[in-house]
Amino acid sequence: QIHVAESGGGLVQPGGSLRLSCAASGNIASLNGMGWFRQAPGKDRLFVAGITREDFRTNYADSIKGRFTISRDNALNTVYLQMNSLKPEDTAVYYCFASKDTWFPDYWGQGSQVTVSS
């Protein structure tokens, strides 16, 4: 069994920064991609960013390119999402995912609320 646990999030003013963390535990040898989706109120859950385990290949949604950076520490089985220049439209619940492939989630974290507001 695989467990995905995330931390971080909170309230930040526009232009501010936050960092999300996500740790996987269990049979992690079967995992490759990890990253985040986000879901705003009344909207679909959408892909944000992902990174692979073996070659650290990254993928970003167009809406966050140049502002968010994903990274990972394989020794800690942890992925990080550094979010800079945050905008009100970034407000959402951010869900960490783990995949046996690349960007198609097999496991989900519990979700972290990110609110960007003055």
Side-chain angles (χ1 to χ4, degrees):
Q1 186 63 288
I2 291 173
H3 182 64
V4 179
E6 53 190 298
S7 60
L11 173 65
V12 64
Q13 292 186 343
S17 298
L18 283 174
R19 190 176 83 156
L20 302 178
S21 300
C22 177
S25 59
N27 185 22
I28 60 171
S30 65
L31 298 178
N32 185 23
M34 288 183 66
W36 277 268
F37 281 62
R38 69 185 182 185
Q39 187 167 21
K43 300 292 182 63
D44 292 334
R45 190 175 296 189
L46 300 176
F47 177 82
V48 175
I51 186 168
T52 58
R53 177 183 176 86
E54 293 186 355
D55 58 5
F56 294 81
R57 179 162 48 101
T58 59
N59 188 21
Y60 293 97
D62 288 342
S63 60
I64 56 89
K65 281 182 180 177
R67 299 189 297 122
F68 292 10
T69 301
I70 192 168
S71 60
R72 67 184 295 157
D73 184 334
N74 283 346
L76 298 177
N77 303 314
T78 300
V79 177
Y80 305 95
L81 185 67
Q82 178 65 43
M83 305 183 292
N84 298 329
S85 302
L86 283 161
K87 305 175 181 180
E89 51 263 45
D90 294 317
T91 296
V93 177
Y94 284 68
Y95 294 92
C96 179
F97 75 90
S99 173
K100 296 179 181 179
D101 188 11
T102 51
W103 324 128
F104 298 94
D106 291 295
Y107 306 93
W108 291 102
Q110 76 278 11
S112 294
Q113 177 68 48
V114 171
T115 302
V116 184
S117 176
S118 55

